[in-house]
Amino acid sequence: GENVEQHPSTLSVQEGDSAVIKCTYSDSASNYFPWYKQELGKRPQLIIDIRSNVGEKKDQRIAVTLNKTAKHFSLHITETQPEDSAVYFCAASEGNNDMRFGAGTRLTVKP
Amino acid sequence: ETGVTQSPTHLIKTRGQQVTLRCSSQSGHNTVSWYQQALGQGPQFIFQYYREEENGRGNFPPRFSGLQFPNYSSELNVNALELDDSALYLCASSPGRGWYEQYFGPGTRLTVT
């Protein structure tokens, strides 16, 4: 089955700086990689996703890169703002069988 | 467009009891997935339903069972509750089979005493 490791577990940055969160997966058949943002007491919110036939995807200040050979993918947030503070989860799925989440990264953006 | 809703919001049960949690999928979505999220951890996949059929199951025992109705709403049933079942239970819906463009509900907080 799939295992997803996420690093770092906590990340603190100054407002305006960039933040990078990295995940690795074990199942080479994985083909879909979403990222979720979860604020305290709220539901996970899909912020960006990437499929295995694409190496990079960008949406305003957020980007995701995928390296299939190395089996890792990363979330990049530029020009961070205090409202970006939350727990971020990566996930990986192979077809319809299973979806595995990383343990999460608590991002704190200091004003 | 209506988002994913879940009921109840909170629930307290005693060990050994049974519980039913409910989820209404987002309008236009025919797939519902259920997750268990323990405090401080990522969601763990329980199972998924696509057009009323189970479409994948995670590493959970048979006392976790589910159902999807013709209107694509869904139930999660847990029998013989254990203390470790205390968690936030999330459902998520997506517009097709699998996990693409999956949107979560607010969750049901289950406490087992």
Side-chain angles (χ1 to χ4, degrees):
Chain A
E2 177 68 271
N3 285 310
V4 177
E5 293 190 2
Q6 183 171 348
H7 299 280
S9 56
T10 60
L11 180 60
S12 182
V13 299
Q14 209 63 39
E15 182 178 359
D17 286 351
S18 295
V20 181
I21 303 170
K22 298 181 180 180
C23 288
T24 60
Y25 60 97
S26 60
D27 189 345
S28 57
S30 293
N31 55 15
Y32 177 62
F33 308 91
W35 286 88
Y36 294 90
K37 173 184 180 183
Q38 189 173 29
E39 297 175 74
L40 190 63
K42 296 192 175 180
R43 70 189 78 187
Q45 177 189 0
L46 177 67
I47 56 172
I48 196 167
D49 57 9
I50 192 168
R51 302 191 188 193
S52 59
N53 59 347
V54 176
E56 183 174 357
K57 184 177 178 181
K58 190 173 181 180
D59 183 4
Q60 298 183 350
R61 298 186 296 109
I62 295 173
V64 56
T65 58
L66 171 64
N67 183 327
K68 285 191 66 179
T69 303
K71 290 191 279 188
H72 68 69
F73 56 112
S74 300
L75 177 71
H76 304 253
I77 306 174
T78 59
E79 301 172 19
T80 53
Q81 302 166 2
E83 51 264 39
D84 294 329
S85 296
V87 178
Y88 290 80
F89 293 99
C90 64
S93 73
E94 182 275 309
N96 302 321
N97 295 327
D98 193 4
M99 171 167 272
R100 298 292 180 100
F101 282 75
T105 296
R106 181 171 300 279
L107 173 65
T108 302
V109 180
K110 300 177 183 176
Chain B
E1 186 178 270
T2 306
V4 181
T5 61
Q6 291 185 245
S7 62
T9 306
H10 297 90
L11 203 53
I12 299 175
K13 289 286 189 177
T14 303
R15 189 171 51 183
Q17 286 187 316
Q18 178 266 342
V19 69
T20 298
L21 310 182
R22 295 178 174 84
C23 171
S24 291
S25 60
Q26 183 167 312
S27 176
H29 288 190
N30 55 22
T31 300
V32 171
S33 303
W34 285 92
Y35 297 87
Q36 180 193 69
Q37 186 176 27
L39 205 59
Q41 297 183 21
Q44 279 196 290
F45 172 64
I46 303 174
F47 43 61
Q48 181 181 89
Y49 280 86
Y50 168 68
R51 295 187 174 181
E52 303 180 60
E53 298 276 336
E54 189 176 287
N55 184 51
R57 187 180 181 94
N59 190 26
F60 279 81
R63 59 190 185 84
F64 285 79
S65 64
L67 197 59
Q68 187 178 33
F69 299 99
N71 66 355
Y72 303 130
S73 65
S74 177
E75 285 183 355
L76 165 65
N77 299 291
V78 187
N79 293 322
L81 284 167
E82 301 177 0
L83 297 179
D84 284 350
D85 295 334
S86 295
L88 180 68
Y89 287 84
L90 295 160
C91 82
S93 72
S94 45
R97 194 173 180 176
W99 284 271
Y100 301 132
E101 296 182 4
Q102 176 176 237
Y103 293 92
F104 281 86
T108 293
R109 172 74 60 188
L110 173 65
T111 302
V112 182
T113 61

